[in-house]
Each structure stands twice: as C-alpha cells, then as structure tokens.
Amino acid sequence: MDFNKARLLYLIVFFLYSGLSVSGQSIHVSGRVLQQNTQTPVEFANVVLFKQDSVFLKGTTTDTIGRFEFENLPTDNYVLSVSCLGFETKRILIQNLTESAQIDVYLNENVLLLGEVVISASSTINKINQRIVFPTKLQISHSANGMQLLNTMMLPGLNINPMLNTISSSDGGKVILQINGVNTTPEEIQTLQPRQIKRIEYSDYAGIRYGHASKVINYVVVRDDKGGVVGVDLMNSLNILAGGDVFFAKFNKGKSEYALNYTATFQRINTNNRNRTGSYQFENSSPILREEISAGGDYSYQMQPVGGINLVHT
C-alpha cells in the first residue's frame, strides 16, 4: 500500500470515528430551582420538559437542594416548565440545544395562593392528648359568642347545645371549661367575643391533674386593655312559657377585667305527664304486663343566677 492510499484510509477512519463520537454524545439539561427573593432551594417542584410544539417529553421533581436533571436528550428545541404550590409557574424556551446545559430557575412567590395554604395547614395542630385549633375567618364571622364558635369547629367527642348553652362529653364524663388556663363557666364562655379568641386547646383525656375529667377546653383569648362590651342573648319560646336569657357586661382597664353576668332560665308546662307499659318475662311463666298512667300536673322551673368576676392577669 502506497503512502497516498494509507493517508486516505487514515482520514476515512478518523472522520468515521469523529462522526460516531458526535452522534453518540449524550446531552443533559440540569440545574436548580430557587426562590427569587431569598435564593433558597425550592424542594419538590414539578419540572417538565416539552418539545417546542408542546408535546410532553419528560418530567421530574427537584430534590432537597432544588436540583433536577434530564439525560440523553437529542438536539432539538425545548420548553422547560417549572411549577410549585405557592409560586408562579415559569417557562423557559431552550433553542438549538446541541450540548449539555446548566439552567437555574428562579420562582416568584404567589402571595394569594401561599396565604390560603398557610391558613389551611395551620388551622389544627395535633399533640399527645391535645388538639390546638385556630378558628378561621369564616367560623368567626358565623359566630356570635364563644359557645357558637366552639359549635362551628365540630370537635370530636363534644355535644354542644347552643339553645340551652350547654357543653357535654359524648362519653358522659365531666367537661372542664377554661379561659387562659383558669376554670370558668358556660355563661362566661357565652360572653366571649369571637374576635378575641386566638385558639382553643382541646384535651380529650385530662388525667389526674383535672380529677379524671373527660374533656378540657381552654380558650386562649386576647383581652382588650381598655373599653367594654354590653350584650344580651334571648332564647324564648313563642308557644309556651319557656326561655333562657343571658345579660352580660364587661369593662377592661389595663390588665384587669370586670364582668357581670345575669342568667334567667324559666319554663312552665301545664301538662306534665307520662304513660308507659312494661313487659316482664320470667322463666316457666306467662309474660306480665304493667301499665303506668300518670295523673299529670303543672311543671315550672326558674333559675336566676348573678355572677360578678374580677380577673387580674399578667
């Protein structure tokens, strides 16, 4: 083989090898997703790679440091789409991708969406034997007092009667009511303004500390430094003489609160009677029937307690 032929063969082999190297080259697109304001990584963001004609190609999520990567891509035009809950979606056009590229994506916060997520996520905090519940704006707007607000929260194991202003446990156990850790009464709970209530700490097993009470409900409230409030709650029947009325007045000065509560509960029923029949079955005998017939009579009930409270808190 002469020199010219050997040189020609060498050039052919060289160009073939170069072509194979180029055609076998692996193109990668990688990078990080960061928050625009703080430059901190955004975890678990959705990163999707489309062709320029919007055909889906690949998808992935960022890791704990905000990194993502797409491997073995052919030369083409692409659109990189990055989205994450609480941030605005961002799209980046990648044209004439012929070699691996490092792309960092910066996301701006979506303030409105992030606010909704924070409220939803923080409305309830579960601890051992305790549940901390933060009232929502909707619950506050639909409540006139602390009793009604508790009813809208629908805590498990509680039976609340807003008509009779009573709170009981579904297992029949004792329920302890508190305001800022101090034992209180249902009448005082009824005088609480929903806007004052920051959260409710609910324990479904109190233990020895509270005398083996079944439930403990602690209202954590913010008291005003000055001013006062006067209110009345009237619950009266239109067809019989019955009702449960509450009048309350509060005055705040500095760290002291002065409160006066007056409750008038009354009921009068002209026909109070009960008829019933009982059946008893004994061994080796016929059933025995017993019928009770009441003569009836009038029934009346009245309660008018007055309570004055002077609370000093630090």
Side-chain angles (χ1 to χ4, degrees):
M1 181 181 298
D2 58 19
F3 177 76
N4 291 332
K5 291 183 178 180
R7 185 177 180 182
L8 179 60
L9 180 61
Y10 174 78
L11 291 175
I12 293 174
V13 172
F14 174 79
F15 284 117
L16 286 175
Y17 178 78
S18 300
L20 290 173
S21 299
V22 171
S23 62
Q25 183 180 2
S26 179
I27 300 177
H28 299 255
V29 172
S30 61
R32 299 181 67 193
V33 178
L34 306 170
Q35 187 173 345
Q36 180 70 49
N37 296 332
T38 62
Q39 306 294 309
T40 55
V42 179
E43 301 178 82
F44 311 116
N46 296 316
V47 185
V48 180
L49 191 65
F50 296 93
K51 290 189 176 181
Q52 195 171 10
D53 56 2
S54 299
V55 175
F56 173 83
L57 187 62
K58 293 184 178 182
T60 186
T61 58
T62 58
D63 58 17
T64 55
I65 60 173
R67 289 194 57 84
F68 68 91
E69 184 176 10
F70 296 106
E71 299 179 340
N72 302 324
L73 300 176
T75 300
D76 206 338
N77 298 323
Y78 299 98
V79 176
L80 186 70
S81 176
V82 182
S83 63
C84 185
L85 191 64
F87 296 89
E88 297 178 354
T89 300
K90 193 163 189 178
R91 293 177 176 84
I92 298 175
L93 178 62
I94 305 175
Q95 291 184 318
N96 300 322
L97 181 65
T98 57
E99 59 183 10
S100 298
Q102 173 79 21
I103 301 174
D104 290 339
V105 183
Y106 296 90
L107 299 182
N108 294 316
E109 289 185 74
N110 188 329
V111 178
L112 179 59
L113 181 58
L114 184 60
E116 292 176 354
V117 172
V118 171
I119 292 174
S120 174
S122 62
S123 61
T124 302
I125 299 176
N126 293 313
K127 295 185 177 181
I128 299 178
N129 295 331
Q130 189 183 61
R131 179 176 303 180
I132 301 175
V133 184
F134 296 86
T136 64
K137 292 182 179 180
L138 183 62
Q139 291 171 337
I140 292 175
S141 64
H142 283 73
S143 306
N145 53 54
M147 188 77 67
Q148 293 182 9
L149 180 62
L150 185 65
N151 189 37
T152 62
M153 290 183 170
M154 302 177 65
L155 297 178
L158 290 179
N159 298 322
I160 302 171
N161 190 331
M163 298 294 295
L164 300 178
N165 298 317
T166 59
I167 303 174
S168 60
S169 175
S170 58
D171 59 9
K174 181 181 179 182
V175 177
I176 295 179
L177 300 176
Q178 295 182 335
I179 297 178
N180 291 340
V182 179
N183 289 359
T184 188
T185 62
E187 289 76 19
E188 182 68 15
I189 296 298
Q190 193 177 1
T191 64
L192 286 177
Q193 302 300 302
R195 63 174 180 81
Q196 295 179 301
I197 301 172
K198 293 177 58 179
R199 64 181 185 273
I200 292 179
E201 299 174 350
Y202 172 57
S203 302
D204 54 6
Y205 177 75
I208 301 177
R209 177 183 176 185
Y210 296 98
H212 295 286
S214 176
K215 306 286 189 299
V216 177
I217 304 170
N218 181 32
Y219 286 77
V220 179
V221 304
V222 177
R223 301 190 185 275
D224 299 326
D225 293 333
K226 60 181 178 179
V229 61
V230 177
V232 61
D233 189 352
L234 303 177
M235 290 287 184
N236 294 273
S237 175
L238 298 178
N239 58 342
I240 62 174
L241 184 60
D245 303 331
V246 177
F247 171 82
F248 62 91
K250 289 184 178 181
F251 176 74
N252 298 85
K253 184 177 181 180
K255 295 183 178 181
S256 298
E257 179 180 273
Y258 304 88
L260 176 66
N261 303 322
Y262 170 75
T263 303
T265 303
F266 55 92
Q267 186 174 13
R268 182 175 180 83
I269 301 177
N270 295 328
T271 56
N272 178 32
N273 55 62
R274 179 183 64 183
N275 298 331
R276 64 179 180 177
T277 301
S279 177
Y280 304 90
Q281 177 69 55
F282 297 96
E283 187 177 359
N284 300 325
S285 65
S286 301
I288 300 176
L289 297 178
R290 290 291 183 266
E291 187 174 1
E292 177 185 351
I293 301 176
S294 175
D298 294 340
Y299 169 79
S300 63
Y301 166 77
Q302 295 185 23
M303 183 181 68
Q304 300 185 41
V306 178
I309 303 176
N310 181 4
L311 293 177
V312 179
H313 54 93
T314 58

